[in-house]
C-alpha cells in the first residue's frame, strides 16, 4: 500500500523550528486547507512542565477568545446582526461584570462594528450582544454546529472539545466572550477557523 501524507514538509519544519525558539510548557500549531480539510502542518512542542497530553489534540485548555467565532455566527444567523452596525462599549477590562452588560453613555466610549470587535477581541461587544439576543437554546445549537461535545473524526487520537452553556446570565455572557465554560483543542480551533473561511462548511480533517 502507498500512503500519501497531507503535510507540507517545508511548512512543518519551519513551524517546528519556530515553536522550539520559545521556552513554554506546551505549544502547538495546526494548519488546515479550508476547502479540503487537508492538514498542511501539525506541530507539537512539549516539555516536562506541560499541563496536558499531546498538545495539538488535547482539549484541556480554555477555548478563550476563539469562542467568539461561535458567538459571532449565532448573532449573525439567529439575531440578524448587521456586521457593519456600530455598538459602543466600555474600553477593555479584565473580568466582565453585570455593569458591562448595561449601556452607559459615560463609559461606552469604544464604538466598533463586528469586524473591529473580532479583530480587537473586544469582550464587552460580544457579551453585551449575546446577553441581549441569544438564549441558552441558541448557544447550544451553535455549539453543535461548531462540533463541540462530539468526537472529531480524525486518523490520530484526539480529545473532543466540550462546552456547557451556563444558566446564569452573567456567566453565559462571559462564555460568549470566551471566559470559561468551554475547552478547545488546537486541532478543533483550526477546524473552526477553516469552516469560517470555507463559507461555513467544516471539512473532515485528514
Amino acid at each position: 500500500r502507498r500512503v500519501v501524507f497531507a503535510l507540507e514538509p517545508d511548512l512543518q519544519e519551519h513551524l517546528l523550528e519556530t515553536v522550539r525558539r520559545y521556552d513554554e510548557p506546551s505549544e502547538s500549531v495546526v494548519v488546515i486547507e479550508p476547502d479540503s480539510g487537508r492538514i498542511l502542518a501539525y506541530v507539537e512542542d512539549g516539555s516536562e512542565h506541560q499541563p496536558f497530553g499531546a498538545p495539538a489534540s488535547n482539549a484541556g485548555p480554555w477555548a478563550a477568545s476563539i469562542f467568539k467565532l461561535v458567538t459571532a455566527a449565532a448573532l449573525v444567523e439567529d439575531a440578524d446582526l448587521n456586521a457593519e452596525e456600530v455598538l459602543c462599549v466600555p474600553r477593555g477590562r479584565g473580568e466582565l461584570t453585570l455593569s458591562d452588560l448595561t449601556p452607559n453613555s459615560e463609559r461606552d466610549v469604544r464604538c466598533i462594528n463586528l469586524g473591529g470587535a473580532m479583530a480587537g477581541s473586544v469582550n464587552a461587544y460580544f457579551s453585551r450582544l449575546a446577553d441581549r439576543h441569544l438564549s441558552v437554546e441558541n448557544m447550544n445549537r451553535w455549539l453543535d454546529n461548531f462540533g463541540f461535545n462530539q468526537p472529531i473524526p480524525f486518523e490520530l487520537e484526539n480529545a473532543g472539545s466540550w462546552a456547557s452553556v451556563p444558566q446564569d446570565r452573567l456567566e453565559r455572557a462571559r462564555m460568549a466572550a470566551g471566559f470559561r465554560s468551554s475547552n478547545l483543542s488546537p486541532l478543533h480551533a483550526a477546524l473552526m477557523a477553516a469552516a469560517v473561511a470555507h463559507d461555513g462548511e467544516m471539512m473532515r480533517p485528514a
Side-chain angles (χ1 to χ4, degrees), residues 4-108:
V4 180
F5 288 101
L7 297 179
E8 293 284 355
D10 291 343
L11 178 61
Q12 176 81 5
E13 187 61 31
H14 169 71
L15 292 172
L16 189 57
E17 290 176 359
T18 300
V19 298
R20 283 176 175 168
R21 287 196 212 116
Y22 301 94
D23 186 22
E24 300 292 340
S26 171
E27 299 154 301
S28 173
V29 183
V30 179
V31 181
I32 293 180
E33 190 173 65
D35 60 353
S36 69
R38 176 187 173 203
I39 292 187
L40 306 180
Y42 193 87
V43 171
E44 298 177 309
D45 184 40
S47 73
E48 66 274 17
H49 303 296
Q50 70 184 54
F52 307 109
S57 60
N58 194 288
W62 299 117
S65 286
I66 298 172
F67 193 85
K68 291 181 173 71
L69 289 176
V70 179
T71 305
L75 287 169
V76 169
E77 294 291 334
D78 289 0
D80 295 323
L81 175 67
N82 179 349
E84 299 304 320
E85 181 181 348
V86 172
L87 177 71
C88 297
V89 295
R91 290 201 179 277
R93 299 168 56 185
E95 188 79 355
L96 288 163
T97 65
L98 278 174
S99 64
D100 293 315
L101 305 180
T102 305
N104 183 325
S105 58
E106 292 183 3
R107 294 191 303 116
D108 295 346

